[in-house]
């Protein structure tokens, strides 16, 4: 008799890891109905056993092998962040035949193509819905909902921390430093907030979106990137008089797609950029405030599409990560059921 449990191992148990654990607790009634199985977090890798955690009762370990080599673990969820040692852990997990879910845009922007190929070769899944736009299920929408269409251009607010800081500065006159401290306390910012304020976090998400939307691989260095560090309250007040608000906008466009003037077979040229833009009040992205993210896609068949919602935070991102875990759990459940009925 096969076990009716899908076991998850977590690499990291901070904001997103605990957001996922809360999501699993809040939604656990439904798992058996959806999957015929339950989901259990078996253990979580951390650095510090003394740290206070919002979620208790999960087995914590400092030994990555306890998770990476555990034959009982079906899915490894990487929510540690950073490129190293995460890259080697994720490679090891995939090579060991484990499905992997990650919310790590830096890792994906740098190594995503290689890791996806490794997952494919090992017959496992690598899913990353939480890596872009937090709680907005944008990657599934592009991969499935827009499968019959073609994205031609994208423009969005992809970083919650900087949008929160800019909104606070514009609406409450808060200083840059105070607004950043609030975003850090709320768990929106990266471990090193330079990633957020320099535009690098948005650039990583832009790289992932370019892959998903245009099927083109660019490096972070291919995008022109600047952040919000030099903005001042004085400049904000001055531009406000002209009805303009500052937003950290990421944009990308294919300049010579086969259906535009480049001609069939011509090399695809992509222009990608992250930087402050001063938007008019009637721009849809002006309505995206606080920690929310927003994305406008211009597609060939449908035209303009727009999404808005929480772009960071434990529960919002935990929900996106949980949707990946459930997609994998469905596959694990089907495989176990097939084996059980075949015997
Ligand atoms: P976090 O709160 O800093 O949590 C990181 C966790 O990983 C902590 O539990 C930490 O252990 C553990 N960890 C880090 N390095 C480790 C190492 N070398 N060995 C063992 N454990 C290690 O980070 P987070 O905000 O949850 O973000 C996690 C990932 O999700 C990042 O890739 C981030 O970009 C992405 N993400 C975050 C958000 C968000 O809103 N926060 C949204 C979307 C995506 P200790 O607890 O012991 O320190
Ligand atoms: N630090 C990131 C942000 C987390 O503020 O958008 C979500 O990816």
């Amino acid at each position: 008799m096969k076990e009716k449990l899908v076991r998850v191992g977590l690499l990291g148990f901070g904001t997103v890891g605990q957001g996922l654990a809360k999501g699993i607790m809040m939604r656990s009634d439904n798992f058996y109905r959806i999957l015929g199985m339950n989901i259990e977090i078996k253990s979580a890798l951390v650095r510090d056993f003394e740290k206070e955690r919002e979620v208790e009762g999960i087995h914590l370990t400092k030994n990555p092998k306890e998770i990476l080599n555990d034959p009982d673990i079906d899915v490894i969820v990487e929510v540690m962040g950073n490129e190293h040692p995460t890259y080697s852990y994720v490679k090891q997990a995939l090579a060991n035949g484990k499905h992997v879910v990650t919310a790590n845009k830096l890792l994906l922007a740098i190594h995503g193509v290689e890791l996806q190929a490794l997952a494919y070769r090992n017959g496992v899944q690598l899913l990353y819905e939480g890596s872009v736009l937090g709680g907005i299920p944008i990657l599934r929408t592009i991969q499935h909902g827009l499968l019959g269409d073609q994205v031609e251009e994208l423009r969005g607010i992809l970083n919650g921390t900087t949008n929160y800081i800019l909104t606070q500065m514009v609406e409450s006159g808060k200083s840059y430093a105070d607004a950043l401290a609030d975003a850090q306390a709320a768990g929106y910012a990266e471990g090193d907030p330079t990633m957020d304020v320099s535009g690098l976090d948005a650039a990583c998400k832009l790289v992932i979106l370019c892959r998903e939307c245009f099927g083109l691989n660019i490096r972070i260095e291919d995008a022109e990137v600047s952040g919000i560090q030099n903005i001042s309250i004085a400049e904000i007040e001055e531009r406000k008089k002209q009805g303009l608000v500052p937003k950290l906008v990421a944009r990308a466009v294919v300049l010579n797609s086969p259906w535009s003037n480049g001609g069939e077979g011509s090399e695809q040229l992509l222009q990608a950029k992250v930087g402050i833009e001063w938007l008019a009040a009637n721009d849809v992205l002006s309505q995206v405030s606080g920690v929310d993210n927003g994305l406008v896609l211009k597609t060939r068949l449908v035209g303009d599409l727009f999404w808005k919602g929480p772009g960071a935070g434990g529960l919002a991102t935990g929900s996106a990560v949980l949707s990946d875990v459930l997609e994998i759990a469905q596959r694990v459940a089907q495989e176990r059921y097939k084996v059980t009925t075949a015997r």
Side-chain angles (χ1 to χ4, degrees):
M1 167 95 173
K2 289 271 163 186
E3 258 196 303
K4 296 202 178 296
L5 202 55
V6 173
R7 289 200 175 89
V8 176
L10 294 185
L11 301 176
F13 201 50
T15 304
V16 181
Q18 293 179 83
L20 170 67
K22 286 182 201 167
I24 290 177
M25 286 181 226
M26 288 157 79
R27 300 277 297 124
S28 61
D29 302 355
N30 290 287
F31 297 152
Y32 203 83
R33 185 176 52 77
I34 301 168
L35 300 167
M37 300 228 207
N38 284 315
I39 308 274
E40 178 194 87
I41 296 178
K42 188 167 181 204
S43 36
L45 181 74
V46 296
R47 285 175 296 207
D48 179 1
F49 286 153
E50 305 307 318
K51 206 183 238 183
E52 212 170 291
R53 317 233 171 225
E54 287 175 37
V55 178
E56 290 177 350
I58 302 286
H59 169 69
L60 301 180
T61 176
K62 289 187 191 178
N63 180 4
K65 289 188 183 143
E66 217 184 288
I67 293 171
L68 298 171
N69 296 340
D70 184 338
D72 287 342
I73 287 178
D74 305 286
V75 188
I76 291 188
V77 174
E78 185 279 298
V79 278
M80 267 172 58
N82 294 323
E83 184 186 1
H84 300 293
T86 321
Y87 170 57
S88 69
Y89 291 174
V90 169
K91 268 193 5 179
Q92 227 172 297
L94 295 169
N96 285 353
K98 309 276 188 209
H99 301 285
V100 172
V101 173
T102 177
N104 188 337
K105 48 271 159 135
L106 180 67
L107 179 75
L108 291 162
I110 302 172
H111 301 290
V113 174
E114 179 205 343
L115 292 173
Q116 199 58 270
L118 183 62
Y120 185 76
R121 284 202 301 278
N122 284 283
V124 290
Q125 280 182 284
L126 170 67
L127 300 181
Y128 42 91
E129 184 63 72
S131 64
V132 182
L133 296 189
I136 306 172
I138 194 64
L139 298 183
R140 272 194 186 77
T141 304
I142 296 167
Q143 290 161 358
H144 300 287
L146 290 174
L147 194 58
D149 205 340
Q150 176 67 53
V151 180
E152 294 178 318
E153 202 171 325
L154 73 86
R155 190 171 74 96
I157 293 172
L158 309 183
N159 182 269
T161 300
T162 46
N163 204 46
Y164 180 87
I165 294 172
L166 293 174
T167 306
Q168 291 287 314
M169 290 177 84
V170 171
E171 290 179 4
S172 317
K174 246 193 192 164
S175 73
Y176 174 89
D178 284 351
L180 171 59
D182 288 353
Q184 286 178 295
Y188 303 149
E190 296 302 305
D192 175 4
T194 316
M195 276 273 295
D196 297 291
V197 298
S198 66
L200 177 58
D201 178 82
C204 290
K205 293 163 176 167
L206 186 62
V207 167
I208 298 168
L209 280 175
C210 286
R211 245 178 242 152
E212 302 292 335
C213 290
F214 311 122
L216 294 177
N217 285 318
I218 60 162
R219 296 165 306 161
I220 301 168
E221 310 82 79
D222 295 331
E224 190 187 322
V225 181
S226 58
I228 66 161
Q229 303 100 314
N230 297 324
I231 197 158
S232 69
I233 289 279
E235 188 180 12
I236 289 174
E237 291 305 325
E238 194 50 43
R239 300 274 197 144
K240 243 191 208 175
K241 291 179 198 153
Q242 301 154 22
L244 300 174
V245 288
K247 294 287 176 192
L248 188 72
V249 176
R251 50 169 77 234
V253 59
V254 180
L255 295 178
N256 57 341
S257 61
W259 54 92
S260 66
N261 43 15
E264 194 87 38
S266 68
E267 195 191 336
Q268 303 235 299
L269 192 63
L270 187 86
Q271 199 172 64
K273 190 176 172 193
V274 176
I276 287 191
E277 294 188 16
W278 294 89
L279 305 182
N282 63 357
D283 188 312
V284 281
L285 292 183
S286 296
Q287 320 301 321
V288 179
S289 56
V291 72
D292 278 358
N293 283 187
L295 183 69
V296 180
L297 294 184
K298 183 175 157 57
T299 81
R300 200 175 172 205
L301 303 184
V302 180
D304 279 0
L305 292 163
F306 172 59
W307 293 263
K308 176 172 92 84
L315 274 185
T317 313
S319 150
V321 172
L322 181 52
S323 69
D324 285 345
V325 170
L326 288 177
E327 185 175 325
I328 290 169
Q330 263 166 341
R331 178 171 153 175
V332 171
Q334 277 164 5
E335 281 165 4
R336 278 199 202 148
Y337 182 68
K338 237 192 288 173
V339 174
T340 312
T341 51
R343 279 186 182 154

